[in-house]
Amino acid sequence: MNTCPDIATLRTLIPATAGESIEVVSYYPDWHGEDKLQSGGGVFIASNDPGLIDDAGIYIKPNSQWTWIRVLNSHSLVSPNMFGARGNGIADDTRALSAAFLTAYDTVCQQGATYMTSDTVRIKNGTPNKKVINLNGATIKAK
C-alpha cells in the first residue's frame, strides 16, 4: 500500500483504478503520532462514484471523477481532527466539528483540546439514530 503524508497531498493524487488504497499519515503535515484517530490519518480507498461529495474528512475528492473514501466500519469512531480541526484554541474549528458530529459515526474529541467556533456547531443530522459524542476533556469555545 502506498503512503501519503497528509490530506492536502491526497487531494493531488489521482487514483489509477477504483479500489486502490493509500495510507494517509496525518491530516496536516506538522501532525505526527501513532493515533490515527487524533492525527487525522487513516486508510483511504479510491472510488469513481461521481455522486460522492467532499466533506474534508471521510470523502476527499482530487477531481470531479475520483473520490478517496476513508475506510471505516460500523464500529468506527471519528474525530473532529479527521475533518481538519486543530483544537489548538486559535484556529476556527466550526466546520470540522459540525462535519464530525453530523456523521453516522460516534465521535470522540482529542483529549484536552480547545476547539474554537465562529458559528453554530450542528450535532444532529435529522435522523432518529442516536450517537455518542465524547468530548474527552475537550473544550468548545466561541471566538
Tab-separated table of all heavy atoms in Angstrom, residues 34-94:
chain	number	residue	atom	x	y	z
A	34	GLU	N	1.054	7.971	16.513
A	34	GLU	CA	0.538	6.649	16.162
A	34	GLU	C	-0.989	6.601	16.170
A	34	GLU	O	-1.585	5.721	15.577
A	34	GLU	CB	1.092	5.601	17.140
A	34	GLU	CG	2.602	5.427	17.041
A	34	GLU	CD	3.053	5.026	15.646
A	34	GLU	OE1	2.455	4.108	15.061
A	34	GLU	OE2	3.998	5.650	15.141
A	35	ASP	N	-1.640	7.529	16.865
A	35	ASP	CA	-3.101	7.529	16.989
A	35	ASP	C	-3.717	8.152	15.741
A	35	ASP	O	-3.817	9.365	15.625
A	35	ASP	CB	-3.509	8.296	18.247
A	35	ASP	CG	-5.002	8.238	18.510
A	35	ASP	OD1	-5.764	7.787	17.630
A	35	ASP	OD2	-5.410	8.648	19.607
A	36	LYS	N	-4.131	7.319	14.795
A	36	LYS	CA	-4.691	7.809	13.525
A	36	LYS	C	-5.989	8.580	13.745
A	36	LYS	O	-6.304	9.502	13.009
A	36	LYS	CB	-4.942	6.652	12.549
A	36	LYS	CG	-3.687	5.944	12.115
A	36	LYS	CD	-2.796	6.865	11.335
A	36	LYS	CE	-1.560	6.136	10.873
A	36	LYS	NZ	-0.460	7.008	10.596
A	37	LEU	N	-6.742	8.222	14.795
A	37	LEU	CA	-7.988	8.920	15.087
A	37	LEU	C	-7.719	10.388	15.384
A	37	LEU	O	-8.389	11.279	14.870
A	37	LEU	CB	-8.695	8.252	16.277
A	37	LEU	CG	-10.025	8.857	16.705
A	37	LEU	CD1	-11.078	8.665	15.629
A	37	LEU	CD2	-10.481	8.237	18.021
A	38	GLN	N	-6.718	10.664	16.193
A	38	GLN	CA	-6.449	12.039	16.591
A	38	GLN	C	-5.482	12.767	15.653
A	38	GLN	O	-5.453	13.985	15.636
A	38	GLN	CB	-5.954	12.093	18.038
A	38	GLN	CG	-6.959	11.548	19.029
A	38	GLN	CD	-8.339	12.204	18.953
A	38	GLN	OE1	-8.517	13.286	18.413
A	38	GLN	NE2	-9.346	11.542	19.468
A	39	SER	N	-4.695	12.031	14.879
A	39	SER	CA	-3.809	12.706	13.924
A	39	SER	C	-4.544	13.026	12.624
A	39	SER	O	-4.062	13.798	11.807
A	39	SER	CB	-2.590	11.836	13.599
A	39	SER	OG	-2.960	10.736	12.790
A	40	GLY	N	-5.726	12.420	12.442
A	40	GLY	CA	-6.492	12.655	11.225
A	40	GLY	C	-6.070	11.786	10.059
A	40	GLY	O	-6.575	11.927	8.963
A	41	GLY	N	-5.137	10.873	10.300
A	41	GLY	CA	-4.691	9.968	9.248
A	41	GLY	C	-5.614	8.765	9.118
A	41	GLY	O	-6.626	8.662	9.794
A	42	GLY	N	-5.233	7.847	8.249
A	42	GLY	CA	-6.017	6.631	8.059
A	42	GLY	C	-5.854	6.085	6.657
A	42	GLY	O	-5.118	6.628	5.838
A	43	VAL	N	-6.569	5.008	6.398
A	43	VAL	CA	-6.523	4.354	5.089
A	43	VAL	C	-7.717	4.829	4.269
A	43	VAL	O	-8.837	4.953	4.779
A	43	VAL	CB	-6.542	2.815	5.246
A	43	VAL	CG1	-6.641	2.130	3.890
A	43	VAL	CG2	-5.305	2.350	6.007
A	44	PHE	N	-7.456	5.091	2.986
A	44	PHE	CA	-8.480	5.533	2.047
A	44	PHE	C	-8.493	4.592	0.843
A	44	PHE	O	-7.448	4.086	0.436
A	44	PHE	CB	-8.199	6.965	1.567
A	44	PHE	CG	-8.444	8.019	2.601
A	44	PHE	CD1	-7.529	8.230	3.617
A	44	PHE	CD2	-9.583	8.799	2.558
A	44	PHE	CE1	-7.740	9.204	4.573
A	44	PHE	CE2	-9.808	9.775	3.508
A	44	PHE	CZ	-8.891	9.980	4.531
A	45	ILE	N	-9.676	4.402	0.273
A	45	ILE	CA	-9.876	3.572	-0.919
A	45	ILE	C	-10.441	4.465	-2.028
A	45	ILE	O	-11.330	5.286	-1.774
A	45	ILE	CB	-10.869	2.421	-0.632
A	45	ILE	CG1	-10.392	1.539	0.512
A	45	ILE	CG2	-11.157	1.601	-1.886
A	45	ILE	CD1	-9.213	0.679	0.186
A	46	ALA	N	-9.964	4.278	-3.250
A	46	ALA	CA	-10.422	5.080	-4.385
A	46	ALA	C	-11.766	4.596	-4.909
A	46	ALA	O	-12.017	3.396	-4.998
A	46	ALA	CB	-9.386	5.031	-5.509
A	47	SER	N	-12.632	5.563	-5.242
A	47	SER	CA	-13.922	5.267	-5.857
A	47	SER	C	-14.139	6.234	-7.014
A	47	SER	O	-13.760	7.403	-6.928
A	47	SER	CB	-15.051	5.446	-4.833
A	47	SER	OG	-16.315	5.396	-5.481
A	48	ASN	N	-14.785	5.745	-8.074
A	48	ASN	CA	-15.122	6.643	-9.186
A	48	ASN	C	-16.623	6.928	-9.211
A	48	ASN	O	-17.187	7.229	-10.252
A	48	ASN	CB	-14.612	6.108	-10.523
A	48	ASN	CG	-15.133	4.718	-10.827
A	48	ASN	OD1	-15.864	4.133	-10.043
A	48	ASN	ND2	-14.746	4.186	-11.969
A	49	ASP	N	-17.274	6.884	-8.050
A	49	ASP	CA	-18.683	7.235	-7.912
A	49	ASP	C	-18.795	8.762	-7.969
A	49	ASP	O	-18.343	9.455	-7.055
A	49	ASP	CB	-19.217	6.711	-6.579
A	49	ASP	CG	-20.679	7.055	-6.342
A	49	ASP	OD1	-21.226	7.936	-7.038
A	49	ASP	OD2	-21.283	6.456	-5.432
A	50	PRO	N	-19.412	9.331	-9.012
A	50	PRO	CA	-19.472	10.790	-9.159
A	50	PRO	C	-20.422	11.466	-8.170
A	50	PRO	O	-20.385	12.674	-8.001
A	50	PRO	CB	-19.955	10.980	-10.599
A	50	PRO	CG	-20.742	9.745	-10.888
A	50	PRO	CD	-20.056	8.636	-10.119
A	51	GLY	N	-21.246	10.707	-7.473
A	51	GLY	CA	-22.220	11.287	-6.565
A	51	GLY	C	-21.691	11.606	-5.179
A	51	GLY	O	-22.394	12.209	-4.372
A	52	LEU	N	-20.476	11.222	-4.893
A	52	LEU	CA	-19.924	11.464	-3.559
A	52	LEU	C	-19.493	12.922	-3.424
A	52	LEU	O	-18.947	13.507	-4.355
A	52	LEU	CB	-18.753	10.527	-3.297
A	52	LEU	CG	-19.113	9.042	-3.310
A	52	LEU	CD1	-17.863	8.182	-3.200
A	52	LEU	CD2	-20.090	8.711	-2.197
A	53	ILE	N	-19.719	13.484	-2.256
A	53	ILE	CA	-19.420	14.898	-2.004
A	53	ILE	C	-18.268	15.011	-1.019
A	53	ILE	O	-18.273	14.362	0.032
A	53	ILE	CB	-20.668	15.615	-1.457
A	53	ILE	CG1	-21.783	15.571	-2.502
A	53	ILE	CG2	-20.351	17.047	-1.066
A	53	ILE	CD1	-23.123	16.036	-2.005
A	54	ASP	N	-17.301	15.832	-1.346
A	54	ASP	CA	-16.135	16.054	-0.488
A	54	ASP	C	-16.585	16.670	0.834
A	54	ASP	O	-17.186	17.740	0.860
A	54	ASP	CB	-15.151	16.982	-1.201
A	54	ASP	CG	-13.792	17.041	-0.541
A	54	ASP	OD1	-13.721	16.979	0.703
A	54	ASP	OD2	-12.802	17.165	-1.266
A	55	ASP	N	-16.301	15.986	1.950
A	55	ASP	CA	-16.639	16.525	3.269
A	55	ASP	C	-15.385	16.844	4.084
A	55	ASP	O	-15.468	17.132	5.265
A	55	ASP	CB	-17.550	15.567	4.034
A	55	ASP	CG	-16.886	14.245	4.379
A	55	ASP	OD1	-15.683	14.052	4.075
A	55	ASP	OD2	-17.564	13.387	4.971
A	56	ALA	N	-14.230	16.769	3.437
A	56	ALA	CA	-12.933	17.092	4.040
A	56	ALA	C	-12.500	16.121	5.119
A	56	ALA	O	-11.558	16.396	5.847
A	56	ALA	CB	-12.916	18.529	4.573
A	57	GLY	N	-13.164	14.976	5.219
A	57	GLY	CA	-12.774	14.015	6.242
A	57	GLY	C	-12.949	12.566	5.823
A	57	GLY	O	-12.006	11.798	5.799
A	58	ILE	N	-14.180	12.196	5.482
A	58	ILE	CA	-14.444	10.823	5.036
A	58	ILE	C	-14.290	10.733	3.519
A	58	ILE	O	-13.757	9.763	3.005
A	58	ILE	CB	-15.841	10.356	5.490
A	58	ILE	CG1	-15.876	10.282	7.021
A	58	ILE	CG2	-16.187	9.006	4.873
A	58	ILE	CD1	-17.232	9.958	7.608
A	59	TYR	N	-14.763	11.751	2.812
A	59	TYR	CA	-14.666	11.795	1.352
A	59	TYR	C	-13.738	12.932	0.935
A	59	TYR	O	-13.989	14.091	1.247
A	59	TYR	CB	-16.048	12.012	0.718
A	59	TYR	CG	-17.064	10.974	1.117
A	59	TYR	CD1	-18.143	11.304	1.921
A	59	TYR	CD2	-16.938	9.664	0.700
A	59	TYR	CE1	-19.084	10.355	2.295
A	59	TYR	CE2	-17.871	8.698	1.067
A	59	TYR	CZ	-18.936	9.050	1.865
A	59	TYR	OH	-19.854	8.107	2.231
A	60	ILE	N	-12.685	12.584	0.201
A	60	ILE	CA	-11.724	13.565	-0.297
A	60	ILE	C	-11.688	13.442	-1.817
A	60	ILE	O	-11.373	12.377	-2.349
A	60	ILE	CB	-10.300	13.314	0.289
A	60	ILE	CG1	-10.326	13.272	1.819
A	60	ILE	CG2	-9.310	14.335	-0.254
A	60	ILE	CD1	-10.706	14.561	2.494
A	61	LYS	N	-12.026	14.522	-2.525
A	61	LYS	CA	-12.088	14.485	-3.988
A	61	LYS	C	-10.887	15.215	-4.602
A	61	LYS	O	-10.784	16.428	-4.473
A	61	LYS	CB	-13.380	15.130	-4.481
A	61	LYS	CG	-14.625	14.341	-4.097
A	61	LYS	CD	-15.867	14.897	-4.724
A	61	LYS	CE	-16.052	14.527	-6.148
A	61	LYS	NZ	-16.286	13.129	-6.450
A	62	PRO	N	-10.009	14.485	-5.297
A	62	PRO	CA	-8.920	15.156	-6.003
A	62	PRO	C	-9.387	15.803	-7.309
A	62	PRO	O	-8.750	16.709	-7.822
A	62	PRO	CB	-7.917	14.039	-6.267
A	62	PRO	CG	-8.719	12.789	-6.268
A	62	PRO	CD	-9.876	13.028	-5.337
A	63	ASN	N	-10.525	15.327	-7.842
A	63	ASN	CA	-11.121	15.922	-9.043
A	63	ASN	C	-12.588	15.511	-9.096
A	63	ASN	O	-13.085	14.850	-8.191
A	63	ASN	CB	-10.356	15.527	-10.322
A	63	ASN	CG	-10.414	14.042	-10.616
A	63	ASN	OD1	-11.301	13.314	-10.161
A	63	ASN	ND2	-9.459	13.565	-11.400
A	64	SER	N	-13.298	15.870	-10.155
A	64	SER	CA	-14.731	15.581	-10.217
A	64	SER	C	-15.041	14.102	-10.449
A	64	SER	O	-16.149	13.655	-10.169
A	64	SER	CB	-15.388	16.424	-11.312
A	64	SER	OG	-14.817	16.117	-12.578
A	65	GLN	N	-14.081	13.329	-10.946
A	65	GLN	CA	-14.323	11.917	-11.244
A	65	GLN	C	-14.007	11.001	-10.073
A	65	GLN	O	-14.693	10.010	-9.861
A	65	GLN	CB	-13.493	11.487	-12.453
A	65	GLN	CG	-13.681	10.028	-12.813
A	65	GLN	CD	-12.819	9.587	-13.980
A	65	GLN	OE1	-12.165	10.399	-14.622
A	65	GLN	NE2	-12.806	8.297	-14.247
A	66	TRP	N	-12.988	11.298	-9.314
A	66	TRP	CA	-12.492	10.378	-8.293
A	66	TRP	C	-12.744	10.893	-6.878
A	66	TRP	O	-12.734	12.100	-6.637
A	66	TRP	CB	-10.992	10.147	-8.468
A	66	TRP	CG	-10.672	9.334	-9.682
A	66	TRP	CD1	-10.266	9.812	-10.890
A	66	TRP	CD2	-10.761	7.920	-9.802
A	66	TRP	NE1	-10.084	8.771	-11.758
A	66	TRP	CE2	-10.385	7.589	-11.116
A	66	TRP	CE3	-11.120	6.901	-8.933
A	66	TRP	CZ2	-10.354	6.280	-11.575
A	66	TRP	CZ3	-11.091	5.594	-9.389
A	66	TRP	CH2	-10.713	5.297	-10.703
A	67	THR	N	-12.917	9.940	-5.956
A	67	THR	CA	-13.054	10.252	-4.535
A	67	THR	C	-12.252	9.240	-3.742
A	67	THR	O	-12.325	8.034	-3.995
A	67	THR	CB	-14.525	10.169	-4.073
A	67	THR	OG1	-15.321	11.019	-4.896
A	67	THR	CG2	-14.667	10.575	-2.614
A	68	TRP	N	-11.480	9.737	-2.779
A	68	TRP	CA	-10.829	8.871	-1.804
A	68	TRP	C	-11.796	8.735	-0.625
A	68	TRP	O	-12.242	9.742	-0.077
A	68	TRP	CB	-9.508	9.471	-1.334
A	68	TRP	CG	-8.438	9.484	-2.371
A	68	TRP	CD1	-7.991	10.554	-3.085
A	68	TRP	CD2	-7.653	8.375	-2.806
A	68	TRP	NE1	-6.981	10.173	-3.943
A	68	TRP	CE2	-6.756	8.838	-3.788
A	68	TRP	CE3	-7.631	7.013	-2.461
A	68	TRP	CZ2	-5.843	8.009	-4.424
A	68	TRP	CZ3	-6.719	6.180	-3.099
A	68	TRP	CH2	-5.838	6.676	-4.069
A	69	ILE	N	-12.132	7.498	-0.254
A	69	ILE	CA	-13.079	7.238	0.836
A	69	ILE	C	-12.320	6.647	2.018
A	69	ILE	O	-11.636	5.627	1.888
A	69	ILE	CB	-14.181	6.250	0.396
A	69	ILE	CG1	-14.913	6.786	-0.830
A	69	ILE	CG2	-15.142	5.986	1.554
A	69	ILE	CD1	-15.896	5.791	-1.426
A	70	ARG	N	-12.455	7.299	3.184
A	70	ARG	CA	-11.810	6.807	4.404
A	70	ARG	C	-12.405	5.448	4.768
A	70	ARG	O	-13.625	5.269	4.754
A	70	ARG	CB	-12.029	7.802	5.545
A	70	ARG	CG	-11.251	7.452	6.800
A	70	ARG	CD	-11.518	8.457	7.906
A	70	ARG	NE	-11.021	9.788	7.615
A	70	ARG	CZ	-9.790	10.219	7.900
A	70	ARG	NH1	-8.936	9.417	8.495
A	70	ARG	NH2	-9.426	11.462	7.598
A	71	VAL	N	-11.559	4.487	5.097
A	71	VAL	CA	-12.013	3.150	5.474
A	71	VAL	C	-12.503	3.184	6.920
A	71	VAL	O	-11.729	3.437	7.850
A	71	VAL	CB	-10.890	2.100	5.303
A	71	VAL	CG1	-11.345	0.744	5.810
A	71	VAL	CG2	-10.451	2.026	3.852
A	72	LEU	N	-13.794	2.985	7.082
A	72	LEU	CA	-14.438	2.926	8.393
A	72	LEU	C	-15.395	1.740	8.392
A	72	LEU	O	-15.875	1.333	7.340
A	72	LEU	CB	-15.226	4.212	8.665
A	72	LEU	CG	-14.435	5.515	8.698
A	72	LEU	CD1	-15.376	6.712	8.687
A	72	LEU	CD2	-13.539	5.565	9.925
A	73	ASN	N	-15.684	1.201	9.563
A	73	ASN	CA	-16.699	0.163	9.647
A	73	ASN	C	-17.787	0.631	10.609
A	73	ASN	O	-17.712	1.731	11.149
A	73	ASN	CB	-16.096	-1.187	10.058
A	73	ASN	CG	-15.490	-1.164	11.443
A	73	ASN	OD1	-16.093	-0.662	12.389
A	73	ASN	ND2	-14.289	-1.703	11.588
A	74	SER	N	-18.792	-0.192	10.836
A	74	SER	CA	-19.936	0.238	11.645
A	74	SER	C	-19.566	0.538	13.093
A	74	SER	O	-20.319	1.200	13.801
A	74	SER	CB	-21.047	-0.812	11.593
A	74	SER	OG	-20.583	-2.030	12.135
A	75	HIS	N	-18.419	0.077	13.560
A	75	HIS	CA	-17.984	0.332	14.933
A	75	HIS	C	-16.887	1.394	15.012
A	75	HIS	O	-16.346	1.641	16.085
A	75	HIS	CB	-17.495	-0.966	15.581
A	75	HIS	CG	-18.539	-2.036	15.597
A	75	HIS	ND1	-19.686	-1.938	16.356
A	75	HIS	CD2	-18.639	-3.193	14.927
A	75	HIS	CE1	-20.434	-3.003	16.162
A	75	HIS	NE2	-19.828	-3.788	15.295
A	76	SER	N	-16.565	2.008	13.899
A	76	SER	CA	-15.511	3.018	13.878
A	76	SER	C	-15.945	4.276	14.616
A	76	SER	O	-17.127	4.589	14.716
A	76	SER	CB	-15.155	3.396	12.442
A	76	SER	OG	-14.525	2.333	11.779
A	77	LEU	N	-14.953	4.986	15.111
A	77	LEU	CA	-15.145	6.303	15.696
A	77	LEU	C	-14.553	7.325	14.740
A	77	LEU	O	-13.621	7.018	13.996
A	77	LEU	CB	-14.409	6.408	17.038
A	77	LEU	CG	-14.839	5.465	18.147
A	77	LEU	CD1	-13.858	5.551	19.313
A	77	LEU	CD2	-16.245	5.786	18.606
A	78	VAL	N	-15.086	8.530	14.776
A	78	VAL	CA	-14.459	9.629	14.054
A	78	VAL	C	-14.073	10.703	15.060
A	78	VAL	O	-14.561	10.724	16.185
A	78	VAL	CB	-15.368	10.230	12.947
A	78	VAL	CG1	-15.663	9.214	11.870
A	78	VAL	CG2	-16.631	10.822	13.523
A	79	SER	N	-13.184	11.577	14.637
A	79	SER	CA	-12.709	12.684	15.449
A	79	SER	C	-12.821	13.958	14.627
A	79	SER	O	-12.646	13.913	13.396
A	79	SER	CB	-11.244	12.433	15.820
A	79	SER	OG	-10.632	13.605	16.284
A	80	PRO	N	-13.071	15.092	15.262
A	80	PRO	CA	-13.041	16.350	14.507
A	80	PRO	C	-11.700	16.556	13.791
A	80	PRO	O	-11.649	17.202	12.755
A	80	PRO	CB	-13.268	17.422	15.579
A	80	PRO	CG	-14.031	16.713	16.661
A	80	PRO	CD	-13.483	15.309	16.655
A	81	ASN	N	-10.633	15.971	14.328
A	81	ASN	CA	-9.317	16.102	13.707
A	81	ASN	C	-9.279	15.436	12.339
A	81	ASN	O	-8.507	15.835	11.477
A	81	ASN	CB	-8.244	15.509	14.612
A	81	ASN	CG	-8.188	16.211	15.961
A	81	ASN	OD1	-9.153	16.827	16.396
A	81	ASN	ND2	-7.076	16.101	16.634
A	82	MET	N	-10.114	14.426	12.117
A	82	MET	CA	-10.198	13.776	10.805
A	82	MET	C	-10.797	14.698	9.756
A	82	MET	O	-10.718	14.421	8.570
A	82	MET	CB	-11.047	12.506	10.888
A	82	MET	CG	-10.448	11.388	11.662
A	82	MET	SD	-11.658	10.043	11.717
A	82	MET	CE	-10.626	8.676	12.154
A	83	PHE	N	-11.418	15.769	10.190
A	83	PHE	CA	-12.049	16.739	9.294
A	83	PHE	C	-11.302	18.065	9.291
A	83	PHE	O	-11.792	19.059	8.780
A	83	PHE	CB	-13.512	16.946	9.703
A	83	PHE	CG	-14.352	15.714	9.508
A	83	PHE	CD1	-14.391	14.726	10.487
A	83	PHE	CD2	-15.061	15.507	8.345
A	83	PHE	CE1	-15.144	13.578	10.313
A	83	PHE	CE2	-15.813	14.364	8.152
A	83	PHE	CZ	-15.854	13.390	9.141
A	84	GLY	N	-10.119	18.092	9.903
A	84	GLY	CA	-9.273	19.272	9.865
A	84	GLY	C	-9.299	20.153	11.093
A	84	GLY	O	-8.657	21.210	11.095
A	85	ALA	N	-10.014	19.770	12.152
A	85	ALA	CA	-9.991	20.575	13.377
A	85	ALA	C	-8.586	20.542	13.960
A	85	ALA	O	-7.922	19.512	13.952
A	85	ALA	CB	-10.993	20.039	14.391
A	86	ARG	N	-8.142	21.672	14.461
A	86	ARG	CA	-6.817	21.734	15.080
A	86	ARG	C	-6.893	21.607	16.593
A	86	ARG	O	-5.991	21.092	17.212
A	86	ARG	CB	-6.097	23.014	14.675
A	86	ARG	CG	-5.668	22.978	13.208
A	86	ARG	CD	-4.618	24.028	12.946
A	86	ARG	NE	-4.118	23.947	11.593
A	86	ARG	CZ	-2.990	23.336	11.257
A	86	ARG	NH1	-2.266	22.729	12.156
A	86	ARG	NH2	-2.581	23.332	10.011
A	87	GLY	N	-7.957	22.123	17.197
A	87	GLY	CA	-8.107	22.003	18.639
A	87	GLY	C	-7.037	22.721	19.432
A	87	GLY	O	-6.745	22.360	20.564
A	88	ASN	N	-6.471	23.778	18.835
A	88	ASN	CA	-5.350	24.487	19.466
A	88	ASN	C	-5.769	25.776	20.170
A	88	ASN	O	-4.922	26.535	20.633
A	88	ASN	CB	-4.264	24.787	18.439
A	88	ASN	CG	-4.740	25.690	17.310
A	88	ASN	OD1	-5.853	26.209	17.323
A	88	ASN	ND2	-3.888	25.868	16.306
A	89	GLY	N	-7.080	26.059	20.225
A	89	GLY	CA	-7.552	27.267	20.882
A	89	GLY	C	-7.406	28.525	20.044
A	89	GLY	O	-7.727	29.617	20.513
A	90	ILE	N	-6.941	28.394	18.797
A	90	ILE	CA	-6.727	29.549	17.921
A	90	ILE	C	-7.521	29.397	16.619
A	90	ILE	O	-8.286	30.274	16.252
A	90	ILE	CB	-5.220	29.730	17.604
A	90	ILE	CG1	-4.435	29.961	18.898
A	90	ILE	CG2	-5.007	30.869	16.616
A	90	ILE	CD1	-2.937	29.833	18.739
A	91	ALA	N	-7.328	28.289	15.935
A	91	ALA	CA	-7.967	28.058	14.635
A	91	ALA	C	-9.477	27.896	14.784
A	91	ALA	O	-9.958	27.377	15.794
A	91	ALA	CB	-7.373	26.815	13.975
A	92	ASP	N	-10.223	28.322	13.770
A	92	ASP	CA	-11.674	28.154	13.755
A	92	ASP	C	-11.991	26.707	13.358
A	92	ASP	O	-11.756	26.302	12.226
A	92	ASP	CB	-12.307	29.140	12.777
A	92	ASP	CG	-13.817	29.104	12.804
A	92	ASP	OD1	-14.411	28.198	13.429
A	92	ASP	OD2	-14.433	29.992	12.187
A	93	ASP	N	-12.545	25.946	14.288
A	93	ASP	CA	-12.839	24.526	14.075
A	93	ASP	C	-14.317	24.259	13.826
A	93	ASP	O	-14.749	23.099	13.843
A	93	ASP	CB	-12.370	23.718	15.294
A	93	ASP	CG	-10.872	23.749	15.481
A	93	ASP	OD1	-10.146	23.691	14.467
A	93	ASP	OD2	-10.416	23.833	16.635
A	94	THR	N	-15.112	25.297	13.567
A	94	THR	CA	-16.558	25.152	13.415
A	94	THR	C	-16.924	24.119	12.365
A	94	THR	O	-17.709	23.199	12.623
A	94	THR	CB	-17.206	26.512	13.053
A	94	THR	OG1	-16.822	27.478	14.028
A	94	THR	CG2	-18.712	26.408	12.989
